[in-house]
Amino acid sequence: MKFENRVQRYHHLFTKTDKQIVDYIQNNDFDDTFSTINSLAYAIKTSPATITRFSNKLNYDNFQDLKFNLQQEMTDGVIENSPLIQRIHKYHQDIIQQTGEFISDEKIQRFVNQINRSRQIIYAGLGSSGLSATEFYYRMMRMGLKGSVSTDAHQMKIFASLLTASDTFVAISNSGETTELIAAAEIAHERGAYVVVITNYEGSILTQCADLVLITTDQSRINDTQFINTQIATLFLIDIVSYLLLDDGYMNNVYQQTKKVILNE
């Protein structure tokens, strides 16, 4: 797993010094400072033992493992095109690659199994996440799966309050800290529904009432204010779920039927 993904996954465990280490690594070139644990510790004004603990916290074997992986990650492939197209291509490529490292086959299969057994599914999100929730709903509807989508704070609470143990509530939030969505997910959980959370942060408040958490990469770490697409990672995950569901012959037939109806309009 790449360094940036490890930082995202374990950020809730970081001390103030850990954050200083991350900041130094992210904002300095890979030079002689990284040659030894002592030189890096001196540059950050901390101790070698702290660097070792930080490396272990990110699930590296040791500092040398951290250093080797950082060095490897500095090699990037580019496509032959204009600088702008290369830049945007790299953004998309990085986001998909990083999200691919977070996605677990076992968790995705659990999600697919839960969708198959659910009486109905509510897809909920606000803002840009609401657009992903809507896309998810329409895909599942076209496979014959029953459910609804809500991008309204009051409506999603109402939907959640009507759920039962036979239903699923899918909450989508990059930050995992969206107050209105948290409230709706908690209501769904109290009603006995199976709560699935799609978010960037495993330790966020939204995940506390979840039966299943699916992590996507935090796109805000792309330090470019002109790149405003925040849903690539979520749509990549939805693509994977959709592909697996269409392995089912019945769902595939229903999807092809709805596709034919739309194309024949």
Side-chain angles (χ1 to χ4, degrees):
M1 181 177 288
K2 287 184 176 293
F3 175 78
E4 296 287 352
N5 275 357
R6 294 174 192 250
V7 168
Q8 180 181 324
R9 169 161 285 181
Y10 301 113
H11 81 287
H12 58 289
L13 303 176
F14 286 174
T15 64
K16 182 178 179 180
T17 304
D18 290 334
K19 293 176 182 177
Q20 291 173 347
I21 296 170
V22 171
D23 184 67
Y24 184 88
I25 291 174
Q26 290 177 332
N27 292 288
N28 288 274
D29 293 332
F30 193 89
D31 55 21
D32 290 343
T33 305
F34 291 81
S35 61
T36 69
I37 192 170
N38 289 320
S39 59
L40 183 60
Y42 179 80
I44 301 173
K45 296 182 174 57
T46 187
S47 68
T50 300
I51 300 291
T52 297
R53 285 193 295 270
F54 172 76
S55 300
N56 293 335
K57 193 173 290 185
L58 291 188
N59 206 27
Y60 291 107
D61 293 337
N62 46 45
F63 168 71
Q64 291 300 324
D65 187 29
L66 165 65
K67 184 178 80 169
F68 175 77
N69 278 275
L70 285 172
Q71 197 170 21
Q72 291 293 107
E73 290 167 24
M74 293 184 67
T75 305
D76 292 316
V78 296
I79 60 169
E80 293 184 9
N81 214 310
S82 69
L84 174 59
I85 293 175
Q86 287 183 357
R87 183 183 306 145
I88 302 302
H89 173 267
K90 185 178 185 305
Y91 290 164
H92 280 247
Q93 190 177 48
D94 287 347
I95 290 164
I96 290 172
Q97 181 177 346
Q98 290 159 6
T99 298
E101 291 185 346
F102 279 128
I103 294 174
S104 155
D105 280 343
E106 184 268 333
K107 286 190 174 184
I108 287 290
Q109 195 57 59
R110 279 171 57 192
F111 190 19
V112 168
N113 292 342
Q114 180 60 30
I115 288 173
N116 281 323
R117 72 169 68 100
S118 296
R119 180 177 67 100
Q120 66 168 326
I121 306 164
I122 303 299
Y123 309 86
L126 294 172
S128 295
S129 294
L131 298 176
S132 293
T134 302
E135 171 68 15
F136 207 168
Y137 162 68
Y138 278 117
R139 290 197 196 187
M140 299 302 102
M141 178 186 65
R142 290 181 59 187
M143 295 181 198
L145 292 164
K146 294 182 179 180
S148 300
V149 61
S150 179
T151 59
D152 175 82
H154 290 167
Q155 185 189 59
M156 65 179 61
K157 289 181 184 179
I158 295 170
F159 281 168
S161 70
L162 299 173
L163 297 177
T164 70
S166 300
D167 304 321
T168 297
F169 185 87
V170 179
I172 303 175
S173 169
N174 287 337
S175 67
E177 304 291 341
T178 307
T179 304
E180 298 86 352
L181 187 61
I182 292 168
E186 288 174 344
I187 293 169
H189 179 72
E190 290 167 4
R191 295 292 299 167
Y194 191 93
V195 177
V196 178
V197 169
I198 300 174
T199 185
N200 296 160
Y201 296 104
E202 199 158 1
S204 59
I205 296 175
L206 183 59
T207 64
Q208 294 175 12
C209 64
D211 297 289
L212 177 64
V213 178
L214 299 169
I215 301 297
T216 54
T217 193
D218 178 8
Q219 292 162 232
S220 68
R221 67 194 193 202
I222 292 177
N223 191 25
D224 187 337
T225 57
Q226 290 177 246
F227 184 73
I228 58 175
N229 189 336
T230 62
Q231 297 304 303
I232 298 170
T234 303
L235 292 174
F236 175 53
L237 189 150
I238 293 172
D239 279 342
I240 295 170
V241 173
S242 301
Y243 195 93
L244 288 172
L245 286 169
L246 287 173
D247 277 340
D248 180 273
Y250 172 77
M251 287 190 194
N252 202 316
N253 286 337
V254 172
Y255 182 81
Q256 297 305 325
Q257 178 182 335
T258 58
K259 180 180 177 181
K260 184 177 180 180
V261 168
I262 293 170
L263 293 177
N264 288 340
E265 284 185 348

